[in-house]
Amino acid sequence: MVRSRALVRLFAVLSVSILLLPGWVGAPEASAAPTLPSGFVLRDQPSGQAAFDLTDFAYLPDGSVLSIGKSGKVAWVPTGGPARTIANLPVHDDGDLGLVGLAVAPDFATSRRLYLAWSFDTSGGAFTMRVARWTVTGTDVPTGLANERVLVDLPGFHNVHGISGLVAAPDGTLWISIGDAADFTRMDPGALRSLDLDQLYGKILHVTPDGAGVPGNPYFSAATPNANRSKVFSSGYRSPFRFSLDPRLGLPIVGDVGWNTWEEVDIVRPGANHAWPCWEGNTPTPGYSGLAGCAGVVNTPPITAYHHGSGADEGNSVTAGIVYSGSSYPDEYRGAFFFGDYVTQKIWTMTYDSQGRLVRAPERPPKFTGVGGPVKFAAAANGDIVFADIHTGNLRRLSYPGTNAEPVAVATSSTEPSTRTVTFDGAGSYDFDGDPLAYRWDFGDGTSQTGVRVTHAYGAEVERATARLTVTDRLGASASADVTVVPGNHSPELAMTDPGSRTFAVGEPVVAEVTATDAEDGALPVAWTTLIRHCPEEATCHAHPGSPGGGPVFTVPFTDHQDSRVEITATVTDSAGVTASRTYVAMPREHRLTLKSAVPAALSIPAEGGVSTAMVTEGATFEVVAEEIAADGVSTFANWSDGRTTRTVTVTVPAGDLTLTANYLTPIDRRYQAEPALRQRLGVPTGPEVADGTVRYRPYTNGRLYWSAETGVKQMEGEILARYLALGGHRTFGPPATDETATPDGIGRYNHFPHRPGPMQSSIYWTPSTGAHVVYGRIRVKWAALGWERGPMGYPTTGETGTPDGVARYNHFSKKASIYWTAQTDAKAIWGRIRAKWAQLDWERSPLGYPSTDETATPDGVGRYNHFTKGGSVYWTTQTDAHAVYGAIRQRWAALGWERSYLRYPTTDEVSVSGGRQNNFQGGYVFWNSTTGAVTDRRW
């Protein structure tokens, strides 16, 4: 048992752990009671799943719950009553895998659609990971799943880090998170799949309901919308186990489960690369970071990270949560992001601003501990944080009862005098927080009963009684309503001509009509009351009394109050004091108002709680607001898609859905719009602006514009751009530090770059005759010192290239020149006849080795020379041409004073002669005896 517990703890550190051991189904280890901030309570409700099987859940529009279990069960939990199993999928449930992801389509009430992520066995011991769309069968009560449509199928490699996160966005699109599917027990090069934009592993995807890429994706191609890269929103994840969409930015907030050291939470921008496996948190990953596939990979830092371990501030498997959108929690939690660690049973909170910058760091230590194992977060109707606790299989709701709204009790009755039986109905009761209610009836004669609708027979001794309905919500708040009953008297009859299921726009007349009769009293006068029921997204409802009236027909204009319905109640009272009432609820005719922007930015509808999309009433007037600066910190608001240029504008909802786009100008956009000549040169955009780490770029017909905070906006095109991209682009060289610029002689063009890996500046130069070639580092420094292309070298004709022996690197240049670099010599230039002689002798493979000096003038100004690493030299004069001298002969010439000696300059290379070797000079010769090793010099 000790061994198995140790394995559980080890696996928990390395992966999404208890899921990793499906066979471990015993009771969890004992833990202390939850520790919560003062005033908070945790309330459990059933999920329909077993302990250690619950993986995900979602609320349906009626407040009921759908849940899924790792072993394949899909369950429905009504607001009252037991859970029901509606489907069992065959699953491959080893390790992390099984049925693990669930999302309910935003139009579920009409489409009945949901999305599931699971794994299943295929032939030969293999398995597939799948995302599919389903239709829930049944009407009011879900009964099963039908009409499967596959959106993603991926082969599995290991039983970890599969498809786990699904979020159905309000605009109808679907977001999907997928792990690297790599082996967590070792350094698996397969993890590099996370960086490959043509593979879906280690990615967050943004797709349509049919699985195609969304046009706003950073790598989307209209020609190939179903290509993998068209679906990719961001990359570089190990196990993005859970994520949600920020309601202001519309961006995913993801928790990426770490390997050995760090758990991280990321705010995900389009095109972002969070750099697994090369980076973990803010640190290069030992082992992985040295792989060739990690060279030049730039990390996008997480917004927060915490260390592995069991300490107070540590954890082992992050679960990203949601932004708290309710109003019942204390102020410090309003708008806070809740996230947890299910292995160490903790929840942290943090806040960030409209640009995704951390404002309040996570609490150290966390204030919510011992809470169970959160593996999915969602919001109750009033915004309360609810999470799936895999340890117990329960849904746990984090509430703050001090601000829990009391429910409202509404009771009606009807009497049958012949049997003295009264039927009581409390179905009109409601709770502002959306909680389910418990119903208790005290009949006024000493008896009671529970239930929404009950029947009670009164004894003959009771002439009149006051019955009381008490309704109680989940947090213990209660309210009561009294009903007067006369068992021997018929209740008044009130029939309403129901306007039906039609909906209403602002100001549209709502007409209700009733007929009131009473068996004892005949026709009765009718009194009308109205309430404007304000329920933003069905949370924290409250009512405003409206205009009263009388008579059989009542008309009232539909309210202009946002997120509201009009409740019209007709009431009659007979002579015995018994009342009857009927209520018609006029519902708004709603359309979706969506605020969008090409650059992620905080866009809000203040009246709807600051969200960027909401269902709103036709004819209603709203203010909408766009932040001045977008989430990237540099793009600025320009205008709305309807042409208005103020950030705050008023919108009247039309007779249909409305999408309003906030146009932001990135630095790239601003420069492109400001410079007509640049637009003419580059042509039209051919794709969206892409963010990759700290660099952004946009493609055009004839080139690209690049931006970074360090370099600003710079332009590239033609063969220079082609060479740049072929060599790795900004991940190799950084973004361009200059526009493509003409050289002073008008022949060439170039871009400079700030750095390659390490502090080495680089450039790409192009001419029609040489093509485009890169020069960088110490060779570039030497070339610049010699006057760039204006000096003795000319333009580069090769890129920097390694020599066959692996010792040196070089560039050749157009004026028959070269610069060679070795660690011993640094970069040295050689050109002209001296270089020709060195080449004739077979370059560095010759007796000379590598240049150890640049070409240098002799003191007398007559000659020029290069020295070399093997103790040799090449000297040149106009009279003698270039000749090599080395070894013992060179030593004797040097001892005599070089060219200042009587020998003056060499007129031959070292050549074989009888008995040895010899160099001839202008004033004589030097001979080396191969038998004795003696060196002699003689005049002619």
Side-chain angles (χ1 to χ4, degrees):
M1 184 64 181
V2 171
R3 186 183 186 92
S4 66
R5 291 280 176 88
L7 285 172
V8 168
R9 195 167 294 112
L10 171 64
F11 286 135
V13 170
L14 294 176
S15 187
V16 180
S17 61
I18 294 173
L19 298 179
L20 193 59
L21 295 174
W24 193 69
V25 296
E29 297 184 34
S31 60
T35 299
L36 308 173
S38 176
F40 281 93
V41 296
L42 270 176
R43 308 283 180 137
D44 286 348
Q45 67 183 86
S47 72
Q49 304 293 340
F52 301 108
D53 208 47
L54 171 64
T55 54
D56 205 345
F57 74 102
Y59 286 101
L60 296 181
D62 64 359
S64 63
V65 171
L66 282 176
S67 69
I68 59 173
K70 177 176 166 62
S71 59
K73 182 169 77 170
V74 182
W76 175 64
V77 187
T79 54
R84 306 180 190 182
T85 299
I86 66 169
N88 274 294
L89 299 182
V91 295
H92 175 93
D93 62 354
D94 291 343
D96 285 359
L97 308 180
L99 179 57
V100 295
L102 166 69
V104 172
D107 62 350
F108 180 87
T110 54
S111 72
R112 308 289 289 176
R113 287 178 174 178
L114 58 77
Y115 301 90
L116 295 174
W118 77 104
S119 301
F120 57 91
D121 292 312
T122 52
S123 61
F127 65 90
T128 293
M129 305 183 294
R130 171 172 290 180
V131 175
R133 190 184 74 214
W134 297 82
T135 300
V136 177
T137 58
T139 52
D140 295 336
V141 174
T143 57
L145 299 178
N147 304 324
E148 178 187 5
R149 167 131 187 187
V150 176
L151 306 187
V152 175
D153 261 357
L154 288 175
F157 301 111
H158 298 277
N159 293 324
V160 290
H161 308 166
I163 303 173
S164 61
L166 300 177
V167 173
D171 63 3
T173 59
L174 180 69
W175 298 78
I176 305 169
S177 67
I178 306 177
D180 64 2
D183 187 349
F184 71 95
T185 66
R186 64 184 180 89
M187 194 187 79
D188 180 0
L192 292 167
R193 290 184 288 262
S194 297
L195 304 176
D196 184 350
L197 296 176
D198 292 311
Q199 298 196 59
L200 298 183
Y201 302 94
K203 308 295 189 301
I204 289 181
L205 313 182
H206 191 195
V207 300
T208 68
D210 293 326
V214 172
N217 284 348
Y219 311 106
F220 179 80
S221 168
T224 56
N226 286 299
N228 283 347
R229 65 172 50 215
S230 284
K231 303 174 185 180
V232 171
F233 188 80
S234 61
S235 60
Y237 301 99
R238 180 175 183 265
S239 180
F241 177 59
R242 289 291 185 239
F243 69 102
S244 64
L245 294 181
D246 180 271
R248 296 175 302 172
L249 299 174
L251 293 174
I253 315 299
V254 64
D256 197 14
V257 179
W259 189 29
N260 289 322
T261 311
W262 294 102
E263 301 292 308
E264 65 182 76
V265 178
D266 302 310
I267 293 184
V268 181
R269 294 177 171 83
N273 178 12
H274 288 275
W276 171 261
C278 310
W279 295 73
E280 186 183 29
N282 289 303
T283 306
T285 310
Y288 277 114
S289 61
L291 295 178
C294 287
V297 172
V298 179
N299 183 43
T300 301
I303 188 172
T304 191
Y306 60 91
H307 200 276
H308 282 185
S310 57
D313 295 335
E314 297 174 326
N316 295 313
S317 187
V318 65
T319 302
I322 60 173
V323 172
Y324 173 67
S325 59
S327 58
S328 62
Y329 289 5
D331 287 347
E332 66 180 292
Y333 300 102
R334 306 282 177 90
F337 182 77
F338 281 68
F339 66 99
D341 188 288
Y342 91 87
V343 175
T344 55
Q345 304 190 43
K346 300 170 183 175
I347 292 176
W348 290 266
T349 72
M350 65 179 177
T351 56
Y352 48 84
D353 64 15
S354 61
Q355 295 181 26
R357 298 173 301 196
L358 191 64
V359 172
R360 177 177 63 80
E363 304 89 349
R364 304 294 189 202
K367 295 181 180 180
F368 301 87
T369 60
V371 296
V375 293
K376 173 63 180 293
F377 288 84
N382 72 334
D384 280 2
I385 300 294
V386 183
F387 60 88
D389 175 13
I390 193 172
H391 293 176
T392 64
N394 288 327
L395 304 181
R396 311 201 79 184
R397 177 170 172 171
L398 187 63
S399 297
Y400 196 79
T403 57
N404 179 48
E406 292 183 354
V408 174
V410 176
T412 62
S413 67
S414 61
T415 304
E416 177 47 58
S418 64
T419 60
R420 299 180 63 79
T421 299
V422 181
T423 299
F424 296 94
D425 192 341
S429 304
Y430 52 86
D431 183 78
F432 288 136
D433 301 316
D435 289 330
L437 298 174
Y439 299 81
R440 175 185 171 87
W441 296 89
D442 294 298
F443 298 125
D445 62 357
T447 62
S448 63
Q449 191 175 341
T450 60
V452 178
R453 184 181 175 89
V454 299
T455 300
H456 180 65
Y458 284 88
E461 74 280 2
V462 178
E463 294 184 7
R464 179 185 296 269
T466 300
R468 171 165 291 182
L469 167 65
T470 301
V471 293
T472 305
D473 70 10
R474 183 182 295 278
L475 299 182
S478 62
S480 299
D482 292 340
V483 179
T484 299
V485 295
V486 179
N489 176 68
H490 285 90
S491 297
E493 296 288 339
L494 191 60
M496 175 175 282
T497 303
D498 194 331
S501 60
R502 65 170 295 187
T503 54
F504 298 87
V506 170
E508 190 173 346
V510 182
V511 182
E513 183 176 356
V514 296
T515 301
T517 60
D518 184 79
E520 290 83 11
D521 299 335
L524 297 174
V526 180
W528 295 88
T529 58
T530 58
L531 283 177
I532 310 301
R533 184 79 63 192
H534 179 53
C535 295
E537 300 298 325
E538 299 304 315
T540 58
C541 295
H542 57 277
H544 306 278
S547 302
V553 180
F554 183 76
T555 302
V556 64
F558 193 80
T559 181
D560 62 356
H561 205 96
Q562 297 99 338
D563 299 307
S564 297
R565 63 199 67 170
V566 179
E567 298 178 8
I568 304 172
T569 301
T571 304
V572 295
T573 305
D574 68 9
S575 59
V578 178
T579 63
S581 63
R582 294 290 183 271
T583 299
Y584 170 65
V585 180
M587 299 297 291
R589 183 159 62 250
E590 292 187 312
H591 308 290
R592 182 162 293 281
L593 173 59
T594 301
L595 307 180
K596 301 179 79 172
S597 60
V599 178
L603 311 173
S604 65
I605 311 169
E608 294 293 323
V611 297
S612 60
T613 183
M615 296 299 291
V616 292
T617 305
E618 181 180 320
T621 298
F622 291 86
E623 280 190 337
V624 298
V625 181
E627 283 285 335
E628 175 67 29
I629 306 296
D632 61 12
V634 294
S635 299
T636 55
F637 176 80
N639 53 39
W640 293 97
S641 51
D642 61 8
R644 289 183 284 181
T645 57
T646 57
R647 293 190 298 110
T648 300
V649 296
T650 300
V651 176
T652 300
V653 181
D657 292 348
L658 173 64
T659 296
L660 196 61
T661 300
N663 296 315
Y664 282 80
L665 293 181
T666 67
I668 289 175
D669 294 332
R670 286 198 295 270
R671 182 173 178 199
Y672 183 75
Q673 290 193 10
E675 298 182 27
L678 182 69
R679 293 199 301 275
Q680 180 71 25
R681 187 173 185 90
L682 288 175
V684 298
T686 58
E689 187 169 312
V690 175
D692 189 358
T694 59
V695 177
R696 301 180 69 90
Y697 65 86
R698 189 170 193 183
Y700 300 85
T701 303
N702 301 318
R704 286 186 177 188
L705 288 176
Y706 279 82
W707 172 89
S708 74
E710 176 187 6
T711 59
V713 180
K714 298 297 185 286
Q715 160 261 355
M716 294 185 69
E717 59 189 72
E719 289 191 37
I720 292 180
L721 175 61
R723 174 67 65 182
Y724 176 70
L725 296 177
L727 294 174
H730 61 275
R731 294 191 177 187
T732 299
F733 300 101
T738 66
D739 289 332
E740 183 176 305
T741 305
T743 53
D745 61 10
I747 296 173
R749 300 185 69 83
Y750 67 90
N751 283 87
H752 292 324
F753 305 92
H755 61 83
R756 298 184 78 249
M760 296 191 293
Q761 293 181 326
S762 54
S763 301
I764 298 177
Y765 273 71
W766 168 89
T767 72
S769 60
T770 62
H773 299 287
V774 64
V775 57
Y776 55 84
R778 295 299 298 170
I779 292 178
R780 178 180 180 274
V781 169
K782 174 61 67 176
W783 185 44
L786 292 170
W788 303 98
E789 74 283 352
R790 301 180 301 276
M793 316 300 290
Y795 289 94
T797 57
T798 68
E800 183 175 303
T801 307
T803 54
D805 61 9
V807 171
R809 299 187 67 80
Y810 66 90
N811 282 78
H812 292 325
F813 292 84
S814 60
K815 293 181 179 179
K816 298 182 178 180
S818 302
I819 298 177
Y820 275 72
W821 171 91
T822 72
Q824 175 188 358
T825 63
D826 200 1
K828 303 302 180 186
I830 182 170
W831 64 82
R833 294 298 298 166
I834 294 178
R835 176 179 177 272
K837 174 57 69 176
W838 184 44
Q840 178 188 348
L841 294 172
D842 201 15
W843 305 99
E844 71 278 358
R845 296 180 293 275
S846 70
L848 299 174
Y850 290 99
S852 59
T853 68
D854 297 326
E855 181 174 307
T856 306
T858 55
D860 61 10
V862 172
R864 299 187 69 82
Y865 66 90
N866 279 80
H867 293 325
F868 294 82
T869 55
K870 292 181 180 178
S873 301
V874 176
Y875 272 72
W876 168 90
T877 70
T878 55
Q879 181 180 0
T880 62
D881 202 0
H883 297 288
V885 56
Y886 46 85
I889 293 175
R890 178 178 178 272
Q891 291 174 9
R892 173 57 61 91
W893 183 45
L896 293 172
W898 303 100
E899 73 281 355
R900 298 183 299 277
S901 70
Y902 76 89
L903 294 172
R904 290 183 291 166
Y905 289 95
T907 58
T908 67
D909 299 329
E910 182 177 302
V911 295
S912 293
V913 295
S914 177
R917 296 183 66 81
Q918 180 174 306
N919 270 86
N920 293 334
F921 293 83
Q922 288 176 309
Y925 64 90
V926 178
F927 170 76
W928 170 77
N929 188 309
S930 60
T931 302
T932 64
V935 179
T936 57
D937 59 274
R938 295 285 187 274
R939 296 179 185 272
W940 293 116

